[in-house]
Amino acid sequence: MYQFNYYRAKNLADAAQKLAASGDAKLLAGGQTLIAAMKLRLAAPSEVVDLRDVGELRGIRSDGKTVVIGAMTRHAEVASSKEVRQAIPALATLASGIGDRMVRNMGTLGGSVANNDPAADYPAAVVGLGATVTTNKRKIEADKFFTGMYETALEADEIIASIAFPVPRRAAYAKFQNPASRYAIVGVFVADFGGTVRVAVTGAGPCVFRVAEMEKALARRFAVDSVAGINVGADRLNSDIHAGPEYRAHLVGVMAKRAIAQAVAA
Ligand SMILES: Cc1cc2nc3c(=O)[nH]c(=O)nc-3n(C[C@H](O)[C@H](O)[C@H](O)COP(=O)(O)OP(=O)(O)OC[C@H]3O[C@@H](n4cnc5c(N)ncnc54)[C@H](O)[C@@H]3O)c2cc1C
């Protein structure tokens, strides 16, 4: 790890000012990715701005139509939240399946979404539910937020403040996980808003994506057999030691069916 200056921000405005003042400052949320990247010297910010004391970035509130979750809310808090369990149980279930207990107790919604790991779970929920990301500068729709592998629409001095998740009629998330890390080899989030259905896939490609053909078929009839025979092409999918592109393409169909079955049964 290279030397760096550490700053504990007092509030969002303070964090934003510190971030904007330095050319290469990095925000620190739960440190589950950033600290490892710094130890490996893959990241070497001169300044680290810690968000842990920024109370306005924490917390969960629900008005029945939307669940708003602060960026610094830990995965374990989302998993155990009564509000989330009641309004969008699929989101709480997704959070409860992230990594291990330590990762869930330290990792944050904002850190996960800003990092946009191709195998992360939250991007599937953000896109699958058509959520809105609120930053210190603006609101960004889910479909415009994730732009590529580890890339988002965030500017260098932009901070995620919260994410607003619309409450669906029913939803579910099914993931085929890496048994060691629990990251998604393929994860599919399906949400039925009554007349509109969204299907978001994580893990399979360089970045979360929607499957329009499944969405149309499910909007006509929300049932497992509606997606039978709908396949995603393997050509632009990921390949690593865990799974090749054809296997990942197959898993998208399998995970979609599992998610639909769970949503129907809920
Ligand atoms: C062993 C292990 C297993 C894991 N398994 C899974 C898994 O199964 N599924 C899964 O989805 N994830 C998994 N993760 C990742 C985990 O969910 C973390 O949320 C993720 O690493 C981000 O970490 P963090 O929230 O601590 O953010 P940090 O590491 O602190 O920050 C990550 C990045 O986001 C930026 N950032 C942080 N907060 C903000 C903000 N509010 N606005 C703008 N930028 C911000 C930081 O500057 C940094 O670039 C795993 C991690 C580990 C170490």
Side-chain angles (χ1 to χ4, degrees):
M1 204 184 260
Y2 294 104
Q3 278 200 342
F4 60 93
N5 294 319
Y6 172 86
Y7 183 76
R8 202 180 268 210
K10 297 175 197 67
N11 52 45
L12 185 54
D14 183 31
Q17 197 199 17
K18 202 74 181 166
L19 191 61
S22 156
D24 73 341
K26 273 276 183 197
L27 295 168
L28 178 66
Q32 293 302 289
T33 293
L34 184 63
I35 298 296
M38 288 171 69
K39 281 184 177 170
L40 292 168
R41 299 191 168 194
L42 295 170
S46 59
E47 200 103 19
V48 168
V49 180
D50 193 342
L51 297 174
R52 78 170 62 186
D53 288 345
V54 182
E56 64 206 282
L57 295 180
R58 279 185 186 276
I60 298 172
R61 58 177 201 278
S62 167
D63 64 5
K65 287 186 180 159
T66 310
V67 176
V68 181
I69 304 179
M72 281 297 284
T73 308
R74 315 274 183 198
H75 307 326
E77 293 172 292
V78 175
S80 63
S81 156
K82 264 192 209 138
E83 286 89 349
V84 181
R85 289 213 159 270
Q86 218 161 44
I88 318 179
L91 187 57
T93 305
L94 175 149
S96 73
I98 294 177
D100 53 30
R101 200 176 285 260
M102 192 196 94
V103 169
R104 292 193 293 276
N105 281 329
M106 292 301 289
T108 66
L109 172 63
S112 170
V113 167
N115 192 49
N116 193 19
D117 188 303
D121 295 296
Y122 268 126
V126 172
V127 172
L129 289 164
T132 302
V133 179
T134 298
T135 75
N136 58 325
K137 296 179 172 193
R138 59 187 167 141
K139 289 186 189 302
I140 311 171
E141 288 169 32
D143 288 336
K144 294 185 180 149
F145 184 84
F146 301 100
T147 53
M149 191 179 263
Y150 294 107
E151 284 176 10
T152 69
L154 288 174
E155 290 160 14
D157 61 347
E158 199 164 10
I159 304 175
I160 300 175
S162 64
I163 301 184
F165 296 91
V167 175
R169 185 185 282 180
R170 53 191 167 177
Y173 178 63
K175 93 165 148 172
F176 191 82
Q177 66 188 19
N178 178 319
S181 69
R182 311 241 178 111
Y183 272 108
I185 290 174
V186 169
V188 179
F189 198 101
V190 173
D192 176 13
F193 289 90
T196 312
V197 174
R198 294 175 70 98
V199 177
V201 178
T202 191
C207 183
V208 60
F209 63 89
R210 290 170 64 189
V211 187
E213 216 185 323
M214 286 187 183
E215 293 179 346
K216 278 186 215 138
L218 289 169
R220 281 194 295 273
R221 197 168 142 270
F222 196 88
V224 171
D225 58 7
S226 297
V227 299
I230 300 178
N231 301 307
V232 299
D235 32 322
R236 273 187 257 147
L237 299 190
N238 296 339
S239 181
D240 56 26
I241 54 163
H242 307 296
E246 290 80 15
Y247 185 39
R248 279 191 156 89
H250 172 70
L251 283 176
V252 172
V254 176
M255 292 304 117
K257 284 181 193 152
R258 284 190 194 168
I260 298 159
Q262 280 173 39
V264 168

